[in-house]
C-alpha cells in the first residue's frame, strides 16, 4: 500500500447515521404509532411527527381553501414521489453502471474501440471520459490512465498544492468540465399565488353572487345605477385576493432565500498550496478537496490520500452501510458524508455529471413543514369556523324566513316582499343579497388566515434571525425554542472565543519560562517534539515563498499547536518529509486522543500520541528528560505532572500532552492486515504537556444571566477536565459557588455509570459536565427531556445523536461539521452563545405575536358575528353588508397579521418563564381582554343599531337617509374600534401599549393605510359600500367611541384572572355538577 493511502481503523467514535425514526420506543420497532381515538388531532410533536398524525389533523380541519391553507405544510404525496424519484435515480445509475461494464467487456472481447472523445484544450482528458469512469467506479480504466497521479497530470493539478485557482483557471475548468451546479426548479410566480387565493370556496360563491347581482341590477335599475352592487362585491373580493396573494408571495421569496442559504455549504480546498474555504457551487474539476470526519463530499472524485477514511453512502445508495476508501477503492460520490478519518480527493465530475446533481435537479427542495403551533391554530380555526358556519346558517334561515313572510323592511319603511306583487327579478335580487350576507359572515367567521399567520411570523422571524446569526433549518424549532427550559452548551467556541494559543509548556520534565524557551532541550528531544507536531495533525501550514506571514489552518486546537511549532522554528513541509506516515488513528471525542505511526530512516517506527493530558499521562510508563534520556514514571513524578496539569486547568487552560513509543519494523502489520491495526498506546514515553488559553467570549456572562432571569437553566457540557470546566463556568456565571461538587459539577464517566432512573434525578442538579463523551451528552439530553424542553449545542460529528434527540438541536456554523448541521434544527452562524439567547427571544416572540393576533382576530370575530346575528333576528336587516364585512375581513386577516405577527422581540419576553408546550393558546388574560373589548363593541354598536336615530339626532332626516347614515356610522365606528384595539393587542399583559411602537414601522404603516382607506371608503366610495358621507362631528364621535377602548383596556388589566386555564375550570365545574347529579340520582341508603 502506498504510504499516503491507508485503510481505515475501527474508530469507537465513528459517526453512525441516524434516521428520523431512530427512537428508543417500541412504537418505532413496530413502525406504527398507536393513536388514542380520543386524543386531540391538532396536537403533534415538534420533531419527527408520524405520517398518520399528520394525515389525521388534515382530515379533522375545516378548510375553505385547501391549496392556500396547506401550502406551507408538508405535501405528503410529494414526499412519496420524491422517494420514488430517489429510488429510480439510484436504480438508473446502477443499471447504467452494469450495462457499461457489460458493453466494455464485450468490446474488449471483440477488439472494438470507441471513437476518441474530443479533449478540451489544455487538458489531457475529456469530460465524458472522466464522468464515465467515476460514475461506473471503473478501477481498471483508472489504472489504464496511469492511476491518480497521471489523472492529476491530465487535469493540470498538483496533488499537494492543488490548482492555481485564479479567475482564468477556474473559468477554463468550468467551461471544459461544467460547473458544480444543477438546474433548480424556479419558485412559483405571482400569478400562481393569485390563482390559489381565488380558490377559496366562499370567495367563489361571492364572485358568483356578484355576477348574478350585476346582471339583475342592470336588468332592474339600468346600467347607470344597477352595476354598483355587483361590482362593489366583486372589487372587494378581488382586493382580498390581491392582498392575500402579495403577502403569500413575499413569504415564499423569503423561504426561497432560506433554502439557498441552507444549500450553500463551505468546502475546504487546496489552491496554490494554501487551504481555503469556498462555496460548494464554486468547486471545479481538478480541485483538491480536503475531507475530514463530518464533511459532505462536494462532488464525484477519486482519493489522493486517506487515513482511516470511511464514507457513509446511504444518501446515494439507500443502504446504511459504511464504505471504506483506499487506493483499491478510491471512488467517492458527491452528497455522501465522511463517517471517519480524513484525506484528500481529486474532483473528477461536478454538477449534472454526478448522481447527486441528477438527484438534486430532479427533486425540489421545499421548506414545507407544519409546526405544532400551526396545527394547533388549524384546530382553533376549525372550532371558530364551525361556530361561524352555524351562525351563518342561522342568519340565512332567519333572513329568508323574515323576507318571505313579509317581515323585512326597506330603508323607507316599505315591505320588501309581498306575495303576488313582488316581481321574480326583485325576489331573486333580495334572496341573492341575503345569501351574500350569509356567505360573507362565513368569510369573516372562518379564520383561514389564522394558521397562515404562523407562517407569516415564522418567515419574518427567520429573516430577522439571519441578521442575528441564526439560520433556521426546521420551522418548528422557532416555536419550540420559546419553550426551552434548559440549554446544554459546549464550552469551546460557544462560551469561549475558540482562539487558542499555547501559553504554558512542560517539556523534558521541566516547566519552561516561556512556551518557546526550548534552548535547554537536546536536539533529539526537539526533533521528537517537532516530529509529533508536524505528523500527528489534521491541520496544515502554508509557508509562502516570498517570506510573508505563515498561514496555519485546521481546528483551533490544531492551529494553536502548529503555531507553537512554527514559533519553535518548525519548517512544516521539511519536517513532514523527514518521515513517512504508516498508519493513523484519528482523534475523536470518545478516546480523547489521536495517534500516528511514522517510519524514520527506513527502519525506525515512532508512534506519536496527542490528547487530553491526564488520559495520555495515565498511559505513560516513562518520561523524557531535557537531554533525551528516558526515566521510569514513578508515582512521585506522575503526581508532579498531574500537579502541572491542575495548575494549568485552574487558569482555564486546555491541557494537551505529547507522548511516543518506539516500535520494531517487524511488529508493523502488512498492508492487508493494517486495516484493523490498532496503534499501540501502552508503555508510552511522555514528551511534554502544553496549556492553551481560550478566553471567554465578551458578553457571554450577560447572556447567561439573561437566561437565568428568563427561567432557563444553562448547563455546560465539555470534553475538558473538571478544573478547566469549573474555571470557565465560574467566569461565565454558569457556576456561582467555587467549591461546588458532585452532582453540580460531574465527570461524564461518573454520570454514565448511573442507572437510568438515577440519571434522571442527577441530571436536574448538573450545571457542569467535564470529560464528557458525545454519548454522555446524549444520555444527559434523554434524562433531561423527561421534565424539560431541551436545547443542545454541538459541532462535532459525534454530537449528531444528541442534536437529533434534543427538542432543539443547535449546530455551530463555523466549527460545525456538515453531519452536525444536518442533524440540527438551527445553525448558529457565529458559534456565539449570545446568538443562542437571541434565538430564544425570537422563539418567544413567535408565540407572543401569534397570541396577539389571536386576541385581535377573536375580538373582531365575536363582535361582528353577535352584531349581525342579533340585528338579523330582531329586525331582518344587518348593519354590516357584504362589502363592509369583506373590508373588515381584510383588516382582521391579512393586514392584522402583518401588523401584529411581525412585532420584534422585547426585553420583557426574557423576564417571564418559558411557555409550556401544552399551555392553552388563548390564556385567561387574553380571554379577559377579549371579553372586555367584545362586550364594549357589541354593546355600543347594538345600541347604535336600535337607538341610533335618536342618539345621532337623525329624526329630522328622511327614514331612508337616516338608516344609511346610522349604518355608515356603525360601520365606521366598528372599523375604528379594530384600529384602536390593534394597539391594545400589541401588549396583552402590559399597561403601556405604546412601548416600542415607533420602532415597528410595519405596524404603523398598516394602521395608517387602514385609516386612510377607511376614510376614502366612507367619503368617496359610498356607491360601492352602500355608505354615505359622515359629518366631521360624527367622525369625531366615531373616534371618541373607539378611543374608549384604550382606557377600558388599561383598567381591565387590573382585573385579576385565575391561573388555572379556562378550559380546566369549565371541565372542573362540569365534573362537580355531574357528581351532584349522580348523588341526587343515587341517594345514600338510610
Amino acid at each position: 500500500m502506498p504510504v499516503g493511502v491507508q485503510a481505515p481503523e475501527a474508530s469507537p467514535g465513528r459517526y453512525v447515521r441516524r434516521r428520523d425514526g431512530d427512537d428508543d420506543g417500541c412504537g418505532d420497532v413496530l413502525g406504527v404509532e398507536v393513536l388514542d381515538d380520543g386524543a386531540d388531532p391538532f396536537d403533534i410533536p415538534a420533531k419527527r411527527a408520524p405520517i398518520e398524525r399528520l394525515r389525521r389533523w388534515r382530515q379533522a380541519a375545516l378548510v375553505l381553501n385547501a391549496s392556500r391553507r396547506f401550502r406551507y405544510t408538508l405535501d405528503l404525496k410529494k414526499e412519496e414521489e420524491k422517494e420514488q424519484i430517489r429510488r429510480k435515480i439510484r436504480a438508473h445509475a446502477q443499471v447504467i453502471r452494469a450495462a457499461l461494464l457489460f458493453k466494455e467487456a464485450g468490446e474488449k472481447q471483440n477488439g472494438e474501440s470507441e471513437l476518441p472523445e474530443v479533449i478540451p484544450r489544455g487538458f489531457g482528458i475529456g469530460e465524458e471520459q472522466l464522468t464515465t469512469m467515476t460514475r461506473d467506479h471503473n478501477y481498471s480504466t483508472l489504472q489504464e490512465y496511469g492511476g491518480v497521479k497521471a489523472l492529476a497530470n491530465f487535469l493540470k493539478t498538483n496533488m499537494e498544492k492543488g490548482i492555481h485557482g485564479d479567475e482564468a483557471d477556474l473559468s477554463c475548468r468550468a467551461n471544459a468540465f461544467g460547473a458544480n451546479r444543477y438546474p433548480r426548479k424556479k419558485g412559483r410566480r405571482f400569478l400562481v399565488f393569485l390563482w390559489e387565493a381565488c380558490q377559496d370556496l366562499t370567495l367563489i360563491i361571492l364572485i358568483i353572487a356578484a355576477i348574478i347581482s350585476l346582471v339583475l341590477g342592470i336588468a332592474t335599475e339600468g346600467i347607470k345605477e344597477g352595476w354598483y352592487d355587483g361590482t362593489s362585491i366583486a372589487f372587494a373580493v378581488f382586493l382580498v385576493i390581491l392582498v392575500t396573494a402579495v403577502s403569500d408571495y413575499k413569504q415564499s421569496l423569503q423561504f426561497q432565500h432560506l433554502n439557498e442559504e441552507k444549500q450553500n455549504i463551505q468546502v475546504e480546498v487546496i489552491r496554490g498550496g494554501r487551504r481555503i474555504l469556498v462555496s460548494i457551487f464554486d468547486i471545479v474539476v481538478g480541485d483538491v478537496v480536503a475531507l475530514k470526519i463530518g464533511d459532505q463530499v462536494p462532488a464525484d472524485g477519486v482519493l489522493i490520500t486517506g487515513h482511516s477514511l470511511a464514507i457513509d453512502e446511504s444518501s446515494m445508495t439507500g443502504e446504511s452501510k459504511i464504505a471504506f476508501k483506499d487506493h483499491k477503492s478510491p471512488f467517492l460520490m458527491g452528497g455522501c458524508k465522511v463517517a471517519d478519518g480524513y484525506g484528500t480527493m481529486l474532483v473528477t465530475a461536478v454538477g449534472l455529471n454526478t448522481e447527486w446533481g441528477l438527484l438534486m435537479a430532479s427533486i425540489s427542495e421545499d421548506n414545507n413543514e407544519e409546526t405544532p403551533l400551526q396545527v394547533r391554530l388549524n384546530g382553533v380555526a376549525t372550532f371558530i369556523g364551525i361556530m361561524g358556519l352555524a351562525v351563518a346558517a342561522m342568519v340565512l334561515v332567519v333572513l329568508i324566513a323574515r323576507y318571505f313572510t313579509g317581515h323585512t323592511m326597506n330603508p323607507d319603511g316599505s315591505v320588501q316582499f309581498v306575495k303576488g306583487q313582488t316581481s321574480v327579478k326583485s325576489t331573486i335580487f333580495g334572496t341573492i343579497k341575503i345569501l351574500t350576507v350569509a356567505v360573507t359572515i362565513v368569510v369573516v367567521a372562518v379564520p383561514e388566515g389564522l394558521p397562515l399567520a404562523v407562517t407569516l411570523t415564522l418567515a419574518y422571524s427567520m429573516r430577522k434571525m439571519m441578521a442575528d446569526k441564526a439560520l433556521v433549518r426546521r420551522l418548528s424549532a422557532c416555536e419550540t425554542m420559546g419553550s426551552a427550559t434548559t440549554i446544554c452548551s459546549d464550552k469551546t467556541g460557544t462560551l469561549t472565543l475558540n482562539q487558542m494559543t499555547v501559553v504554558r509548556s512542560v517539556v523534558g520534565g521541566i516547566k519552561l519560562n516561556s512556551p518557546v524557551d526550548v534552548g535547554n532541550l537536546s536536539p533529539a528531544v526537539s526533533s521528537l517534539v517537532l516530529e509529533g507536531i508536524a505528523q500527528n495533525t489534521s491541520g496544515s501550514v502554508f509557508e509562502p515563498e516570498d517570506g510573508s506571514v505563515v498561514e496555519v489552518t485546521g481546528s483551533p486546537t490544531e492551529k494553536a499547536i502548529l503555531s507553537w511549532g512554527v514559533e519553535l522554528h518548525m519548517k512544516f513541509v521539511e519536517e513532514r518529509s523527514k518521515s513517512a506516515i504508516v498508519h493513523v488513528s484519528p482523534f475523536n471525542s470518545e478516546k480523547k486522543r489521536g495517534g500516528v505511526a511514522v517510519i524514520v530512516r527506513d527502519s525506525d517506527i515512532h508512534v506519536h500520541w496527542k490528547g487530553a493530558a491526564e488520559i495520555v499521562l495515565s498511559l505513560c510508563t516513562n518520561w523524557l528528560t531535557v537531554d533525551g534520556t528516558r526515566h521510569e514514571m514513578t508515582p512521585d513524578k506522575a503526581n508532579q505532572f498531574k500537579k502541572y496539569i491542575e495548575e494549568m486547568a485552574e487558569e482555564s487552560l486546555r491541557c494537551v500532552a505529547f507522548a511516543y513509543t518506539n516500535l520494531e519494523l517487524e511488529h508493523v502489520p502488512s498492508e492487508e492486515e493494517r486495516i484493523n491495526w490498532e496503534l499501540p498506546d501502552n508503555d508510552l514515553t511522555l514528551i511534554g504537556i502544553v496549556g492553551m488559553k481560550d478566553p471567554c467570549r465578551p458578553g457571554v456572562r450577560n447572556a447567561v444571566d439573561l437566561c437565568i432571569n428568563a427561567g432557563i437553566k444553562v448547563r455546560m457540557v465539555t470534553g475538558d477536565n473538571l478544573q478547566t470546566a469549573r474555571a470557565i463556568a465560574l467566569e461565565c456565571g454558569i457556576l456561582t459557588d467555587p467549591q461546588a461538587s458532585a452532582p453540580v459539577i460531574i465527570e461524564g464517566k461518573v454520570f454514565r455509570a448511573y442507572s437510568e432512573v438515577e440519571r434522571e434525578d442527577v441530571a436536574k442538579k448538573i450545571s457542569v459536565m467535564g470529560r464528557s463523551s458525545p454519548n454522555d451528552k446524549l444520555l444527559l439530553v434523554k434524562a433531561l427531556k423527561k421534565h424539560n424542553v431541551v436545547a443542545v449545542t454541538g459541532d462535532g460529528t459525534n454530537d449528531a445523536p444528541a442534536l437529533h434527540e434534543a427538542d432543539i438541536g443547535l449546530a455551530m456554523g463555523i466549527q460545525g461539521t456538515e453531519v452536525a448541521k444536518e442533524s440540527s434544527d438551527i445553525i448558529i452562524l457565529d458559534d456565539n452563545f449570545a446568538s443562542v439567547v437571541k434565538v430564544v427571544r425570537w422563539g418567544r416572540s413567535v408565540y407572543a405575536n401569534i397570541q396577539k393576533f389571536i386576541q385581535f382576530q377573536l375580538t373582531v370575530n365575536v363582535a361582528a358575528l353577535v352584531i349581525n346575528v342579533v340585528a338579523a333576528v330582531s329586525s331582518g336587516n344587518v348593519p354590516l353588508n357584504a362589502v363592509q364585512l369583506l373590508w373588515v375581513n381584510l383588516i382582521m386577516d391579512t393586514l392584522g397579521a402583518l401588523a401584529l405577527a411581525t412585532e420584534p422581540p422585547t426585553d420583557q419576553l426574557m423576564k417571564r418563564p418559558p411557555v409550556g408546550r401544552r399551555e392553552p393558546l388563548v390564556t385567561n388574560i387574553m380571554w379577559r381582554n377579549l371579553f372586555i373589548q367584545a362586550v364594549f363593541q357589541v354593546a355600543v354598536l347594538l345600541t347604535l343599531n336600535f337607538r341610533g336615530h335618536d342618539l345621532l339626532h337623525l329624526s329630522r332626516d328622511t327614514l331612508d337617509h337616516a338608516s344609511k347614515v346610522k349604518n355608515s356610522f356603525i360601520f365606521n365606528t366598528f372599523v375604528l374600534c379594530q384600529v384602536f384595539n390593534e394597539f391594545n393587542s400589541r401588549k396583552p399583559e402590559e399597561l403601556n401599549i405604546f412601548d416600542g411602537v415607533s420602532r415597528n414601522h410595519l405596524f404603523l404603516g398598516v394602521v395608517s393605510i387602514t385609516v386612510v382607506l377607511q376614510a376614502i371608503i366612507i367619503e368617496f366610495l359610498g356607491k360601492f359600500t352602500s355608505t354615505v358621507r359622515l359629518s366631521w362631528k360624527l367622525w369625531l364621535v366615531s373616534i371618541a367611541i373607539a378611543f374608549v377602548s384604550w382606557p377600558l383596556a388599561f383598567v381591565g388589566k387590573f382585573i385579576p384572572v385565575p391561573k388555572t386555564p379556562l378550559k380546566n375550570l369549565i371541565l372542573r365545574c362540569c365534573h362537580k355538577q355531574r357528581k351532584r347529579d349522580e348523588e341526587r340520582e343515587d341517594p345514600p341508603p338510610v
Side-chain angles (χ1 to χ4, degrees), residues 933 936 972-973 975-981 984 1037-1047:
Q933 293 298 324
F936 164 67
N972 196 45
T973 305
V975 170
L976 290 178
C977 278
Q978 309 324 316
V979 171
F980 277 77
N981 195 37
N984 290 330
V1037 174
S1038 279
I1039 293 167
I1041 291 170
F1043 178 81
V1044 172
S1045 67
W1046 283 353

Side-chain angles (χ1 to χ4, degrees), residues 527 531 578-580 598-606 662:
S527 175
E531 184 181 272
K578 290 178 183 176
S579 56
V598 296
I599 186 166
V600 188
R601 294 184 297 276
D602 299 326
S603 58
D604 294 343
I605 300 289
H606 291 170
N662 286 319

Side-chain angles (χ1 to χ4, degrees), residues 68 197 200 203 206 232-248 440-450 453 456 853 856-857 860-861 864 881-900 971 974-975 978-979 982 1006-1007 1009-1011 1013-1014 1017 1021 1025:
R68 180 170 184 248
D200 192 310
L203 295 182
L206 286 176
S232 58
I233 294 170
F235 179 74
V237 169
F238 175 73
L239 191 64
V240 169
I241 288 169
L242 184 66
V243 173
T244 302
V246 169
S247 172
D248 292 349
T440 311
I441 287 173
V442 175
V443 174
V444 175
V446 181
E448 285 286 285
L450 198 53
L456 179 68
F853 180 57
F856 173 69
Q857 190 165 52
V860 184
N861 271 103
N881 63 32
V883 177
Q884 292 167 0
L885 281 172
L886 283 170
W887 170 233
V888 168
N889 180 66
L890 198 61
I891 296 170
M892 175 185 78
D893 207 335
T894 310
L895 295 178
L898 277 172
L900 293 169
F971 169 55
F974 183 66
V975 170
Q978 309 324 316
V979 171
E982 268 185 288
V1006 168
V1007 167
I1009 288 168
T1010 306
V1011 171
L1013 288 176
Q1014 178 63 17
I1017 286 168
L1021 300 177
T1025 55

Side-chain angles (χ1 to χ4, degrees), residues 524-583:
V525 175
S526 294
S527 175
L528 273 174
V529 170
L530 296 181
E531 184 181 272
I533 292 172
Q535 295 288 26
N536 192 11
T537 182
S538 59
S540 178
V541 178
F542 174 67
E543 299 159 339
E545 293 176 2
D546 59 3
S548 55
V549 181
V550 172
E551 294 176 21
V552 182
T553 55
S555 70
T557 305
E558 295 286 5
K559 282 169 73 176
I561 292 169
L562 286 171
S563 298
W564 180 54
V566 170
E567 288 178 353
L568 297 177
H569 308 295
M570 174 187 76
K571 297 293 182 185
F572 184 72
V573 176
E574 183 183 319
E575 197 63 48
R576 284 177 74 94
S577 66
K578 290 178 183 176
S579 56
I581 294 174
V582 175
H583 192 71

Side-chain angles (χ1 to χ4, degrees), residues 97 117 125-137 142 151 155 157 173-174 176-182 280-289 297-303 330-336 345-358:
R97 198 169 291 153
E117 186 193 347
I125 193 168
E127 180 182 6
E128 186 60 37
Q129 291 169 298
L130 281 171
T131 303
T132 305
M133 178 193 69
T134 314
R135 185 180 56 204
D136 303 339
H137 293 190
L142 177 63
L151 200 62
L155 293 171
T157 300
R173 290 174 185 275
F177 303 105
N180 198 28
R181 294 175 182 270
Y182 47 85
I280 191 171
F281 302 122
D282 296 332
I283 295 287
V284 293
V285 169
D287 256 326
V288 175
V289 178
V297 180
D300 286 1
V302 290
L303 187 70
F331 294 101
L332 296 112
M333 288 192 288
C336 300
M345 67 172 274
L346 176 69
V347 175
T348 55
V350 293
L352 288 177
N353 290 330
T354 68
E355 286 179 34
W356 179 250
L358 286 172

Side-chain angles (χ1 to χ4, degrees), residues 354-471:
T354 68
E355 286 179 34
W356 179 250
L358 286 172
L359 183 66
M360 295 309 290
S362 304
I363 58 174
S364 56
E365 186 71 26
D366 293 324
N367 217 44
N368 297 349
E369 164 215 359
E370 53 259 60
T371 69
L373 189 55
Q374 201 175 351
V375 175
R376 285 175 74 188
L377 281 174
N378 268 288
V380 173
T382 297
F383 174 75
I384 298 169
I386 290 167
M387 299 283 288
L389 280 172
V391 167
M394 187 176 74
V395 168
L396 181 64
V397 170
V398 169
L399 289 179
I400 290 286
R402 289 184 66 93
Y403 179 79
F404 284 107
T405 55
H407 289 84
T408 304
M409 305 293 176
N410 286 313
D412 59 4
S414 60
V415 177
Q416 282 191 6
F417 178 81
V418 179
K419 193 175 181 182
Q421 295 180 18
T422 307
S423 66
V424 176
K425 280 185 185 177
S426 298
T427 305
I428 295 172
F429 199 55
T431 309
I432 289 291
K433 277 192 172 180
I434 291 167
L435 179 65
T436 304
V437 168
V439 172
T440 311
I441 287 173
V442 175
V443 174
V444 175
V446 181
E448 285 286 285
L450 198 53
L452 294 171
V454 181
T455 316
L456 179 68
T457 190
L458 286 174
Y460 169 78
S461 300
M462 285 191 304
R463 184 164 55 86
K464 293 292 185 182
M465 283 164 79
M466 278 291 287
D468 280 344
K469 304 298 179 186
L471 171 64

Side-chain angles (χ1 to χ4, degrees), residues 24-249:
D24 297 328
C26 60
D28 180 55
V29 176
L30 298 171
V32 210
E33 185 181 11
V34 181
L35 285 172
D36 176 11
D37 290 336
D40 181 4
F42 297 104
D43 184 13
I44 66 165
K47 288 174 85 167
R48 304 184 293 280
I51 294 292
E52 189 53 44
R53 288 279 283 273
L54 300 181
R55 282 202 184 97
R56 195 172 178 217
W57 81 257
R58 284 164 171 73
Q59 291 162 0
L62 172 70
V63 179
L64 298 174
N65 185 354
S67 61
R68 180 170 184 248
R69 177 80 75 87
F70 295 139
R71 181 190 301 128
Y72 293 114
T73 58
L74 193 68
D75 189 328
L76 302 180
K77 190 177 177 184
K78 194 182 279 186
E79 284 301 300
E80 289 174 7
E81 288 172 0
K82 275 187 188 178
E83 191 51 43
Q84 286 173 1
I85 290 170
R86 283 192 187 100
R87 286 197 205 102
K88 280 179 187 174
I89 287 177
R90 286 171 189 151
H92 177 69
Q94 286 163 5
V95 167
I96 287 175
R97 198 169 291 153
L100 285 170
L101 288 171
F102 183 74
K103 182 185 174 187
E104 186 184 295
E107 285 172 355
K108 279 181 181 175
Q109 193 173 354
N110 298 327
E112 295 174 11
S113 60
E114 290 186 2
L115 290 171
E117 186 193 347
V118 178
I119 307 297
R121 189 178 176 185
F123 298 99
I125 193 168
E127 180 182 6
E128 186 60 37
Q129 291 169 298
L130 281 171
T131 303
T132 305
M133 178 193 69
T134 314
R135 185 180 56 204
D136 303 339
H137 293 190
N138 197 326
Y139 185 69
S140 61
T141 304
L142 177 63
Q143 292 302 104
E144 283 173 17
Y145 289 141
V148 181
K149 191 172 182 180
L151 200 62
N153 291 334
F154 286 149
L155 293 171
K156 307 298 181 191
T157 300
N158 182 311
M159 290 202 296
E160 290 182 359
K161 295 185 176 181
I163 61 174
H164 293 297
D166 54 31
E167 284 297 321
D169 185 28
L170 295 176
S171 176
C172 178
R173 290 174 185 275
N175 290 333
F177 303 105
N180 198 28
R181 294 175 182 270
Y182 47 85
R184 294 183 189 174
K185 292 189 177 179
K186 290 182 180 178
R188 288 183 292 185
R189 292 177 300 170
F190 176 69
L191 289 175
V192 176
F193 289 92
L194 208 61
W195 171 246
E196 283 185 355
C198 292
Q199 292 177 41
D200 192 310
L201 181 63
T202 49
L203 295 182
I204 291 168
I205 295 170
L206 286 176
I207 290 168
I208 293 167
I211 293 167
I212 296 171
S213 183
L214 183 67
V215 171
L216 290 172
I218 292 170
T220 309
E221 301 173 32
I223 196 163
K224 194 174 182 181
E225 295 291 328
W227 66 279
Y228 286 116
D229 279 349
T231 306
S232 58
I233 294 170
F235 179 74
V237 169
F238 175 73
L239 191 64
V240 169
I241 288 169
L242 184 66
V243 173
T244 302
V246 169
S247 172
D248 292 349
Y249 180 61

